[in-house]
């Protein structure tokens, strides 16, 4: 972000106002992470009340693209990545804030940075939450699995067995085996059998951040499971009370 836009022209008298404010926040124990958390909650609540029309969606998208504050410049950069969850994106922005703040030598600029960062976060995340929940939502495992906690239980199982990493990225090479595991859950009504394979593929791609070729998917489900897969099926059967 442009430094002149962020800090403006320095005036000595600003130090008389900024320093007491800085001390005030220190006394209250209000660190930047705590203050940011409050802004995130505020933005989320505000966004949840929005009934997004097509006109509003287009306007919000334009506003989001045109945002120019310290928080938005870093958040939009990291938001492109599919290897970071929301919490990690926030931590990245906090790290960038801390790096910038350590370079500042005046209390007035520190307070300007803090104000820009927090107000920018609230504005940015309000638009982000409004657009993310209303227009960008992708079908996930939780949408196709039967049972309130089935998707969470299954995801935890896949992490434990090193099929996926902490961000749900697929880390195994054998996609065919991975596909058959999901087919096993569909055959046993843990994944809703009413969903077509194309919908299941879409949910898997969104959940695991990878592509599953339809041809590979079709061929995979016709192959007899190997010993390793049979062992996985046994474990899943115990986990989901499947008769196998």
């Amino acid at each position: 972000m442009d430094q002149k836009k962020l800090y403006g022209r320095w005036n000595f008298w600003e130090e008389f106002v900024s320093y007491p404010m800085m001390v005030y926040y220190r006394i209250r124990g209000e660190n930047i992470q705590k203050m940011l958390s409050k802004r995130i909650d505020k933005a989320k609540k505000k966004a949840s009340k929005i009934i997004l029309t097509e006109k509003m969606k287009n306007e919000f998208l334009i506003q989001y693209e045109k945002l120019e504050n310290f928080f938005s410049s870093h958040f939009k950069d990291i938001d492109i990545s599919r290897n970071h969850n929301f919490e990690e994106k926030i931590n990245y922005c906090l790290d960038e804030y801390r790096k910038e703040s350590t370079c500042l030598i005046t209390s007035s600029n520190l307070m300007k940075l803090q104000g820009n960062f927090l107000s920018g976060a609230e504005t940015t995340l309000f638009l982000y939450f409004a657009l993310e929940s209303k227009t960008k939502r992708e079908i996930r495992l939780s949408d196709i699995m039967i049972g309130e906690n089935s998707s969470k239980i299954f995801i935890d199982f896949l992490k434990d067995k090193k099929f996926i990493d902490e961000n749900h990225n697929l880390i195994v090479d054998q996609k065919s085996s991975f596909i058959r595991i999901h087919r096993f859950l569909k055959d046993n009504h843990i994944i809703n059998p009413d969903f077509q394979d194309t919908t299941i593929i879409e949910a898997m791609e969104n959940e695991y951040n990878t592509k599953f070729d339809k041809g590979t998917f079709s061929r995979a489900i016709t192959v007899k499971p190997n010993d390793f897969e049979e062992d996985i099926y046994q474990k899943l059967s115990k986990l989901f009370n499947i008769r196998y």
Side-chain angles (χ1 to χ4, degrees), residues 71-86:
F71 180 89
S72 68
S73 63
H74 294 293
F75 184 81
K76 287 195 286 185
D77 284 345
I78 195 69
D79 190 41
I80 298 170
S81 170
R82 299 192 70 180
N83 295 319
H84 297 78
N85 58 34
F86 180 75

Side-chain angles (χ1 to χ4, degrees), residues 2-241:
D2 190 294
Q3 297 290 305
K4 289 183 179 179
K5 287 185 178 180
L6 178 56
Y7 300 114
R9 185 177 178 180
W10 181 77
N11 293 296
F12 179 73
W13 62 266
E14 291 178 336
E15 300 303 312
F16 293 102
V17 177
S18 301
Y19 187 76
M21 287 298 295
M22 190 170 65
V23 173
Y24 170 74
Y25 284 120
R26 289 278 178 86
I27 293 172
R28 286 187 61 188
E30 293 273 11
N31 61 38
I32 192 66
Q33 190 166 359
K34 187 176 179 181
M35 289 189 282
L36 178 59
S37 181
K38 290 180 180 178
R39 297 295 183 114
I40 293 172
D41 289 341
K42 189 175 178 181
K44 193 175 291 185
K45 287 177 182 177
K46 186 179 177 182
S48 68
K49 297 176 182 178
I50 294 293
I51 300 174
L52 201 66
T53 64
E54 192 65 25
K55 180 175 178 290
M56 287 174 64
K57 182 189 79 171
N58 293 333
E59 290 173 352
F60 279 12
L61 284 169
I62 293 169
Q63 289 175 35
Y64 186 78
E65 289 302 316
K66 288 187 174 181
L67 283 174
E68 190 177 0
N69 56 68
F70 188 86
F71 180 89
S72 68
S73 63
H74 294 293
F75 184 81
K76 287 195 286 185
D77 284 345
I78 195 69
D79 190 41
I80 298 170
S81 170
R82 299 192 70 180
N83 295 319
H84 297 78
N85 58 34
F86 180 75
E87 184 179 352
E88 289 168 335
K89 292 172 185 177
I90 293 299
N91 287 336
Y92 171 80
C93 294
L94 281 168
D95 287 342
E96 292 302 312
Y97 171 88
R98 292 184 182 111
K99 288 177 189 176
E100 180 73 14
S101 64
T102 56
C103 300
L104 302 177
I105 58 175
T106 65
S107 58
S108 60
N109 278 354
L110 183 60
M111 294 309 296
K112 286 176 184 177
L113 174 64
Q114 178 179 294
N116 184 281
F117 182 75
L118 293 173
S119 62
E122 186 176 334
T123 301
T124 303
L125 293 176
F126 161 67
L127 294 171
Y128 173 82
F129 288 136
L131 291 167
E132 186 72 16
S133 60
K134 306 296 192 305
T135 66
K136 294 184 179 179
R137 191 177 183 280
E138 301 170 323
I139 187 169
R140 311 293 288 234
L141 279 186
S142 57
D143 298 307
I144 64 172
M145 295 187 76
I146 297 172
E148 187 176 347
N149 296 314
S150 294
S151 61
K152 183 181 184 306
I153 293 169
F154 184 49
I155 288 294
D156 288 343
F157 175 84
L158 294 176
K159 288 179 183 177
D160 182 61
K161 299 301 178 184
K162 308 301 181 186
F163 282 101
I164 60 175
D165 64 18
E166 287 301 314
N167 294 316
H168 300 193
N169 295 305
L170 185 67
I171 55 178
V172 294
D173 294 327
Q174 293 298 321
K175 288 185 178 180
S176 295
S177 291
F178 196 64
I179 290 168
R180 284 192 287 274
I181 290 169
H182 289 72
R183 182 65 185 205
F184 171 78
L185 293 180
K186 180 181 178 180
D187 289 343
N188 288 280
H189 292 207
I190 303 303
I191 288 178
N192 192 328
D194 291 336
F195 285 111
Q196 299 293 320
D197 286 344
T198 51
T199 304
I200 295 173
I201 291 171
E202 183 182 353
M204 289 174 67
E205 288 181 340
N206 293 332
E207 193 71 51
Y208 307 123
N209 300 328
T210 192
K211 290 292 182 183
F212 292 92
D213 178 75
K214 291 181 181 179
T216 303
F217 194 94
S218 299
R219 289 190 297 273
I221 60 179
T222 63
V223 176
K224 185 178 179 181
N226 56 38
D227 291 341
F228 170 74
E229 291 164 22
E230 288 286 357
D231 182 61
I232 293 294
Y233 296 169
Q234 292 287 352
K235 289 181 171 63
L236 286 172
S237 296
K238 291 180 181 178
L239 204 58
F240 290 108
N241 295 318

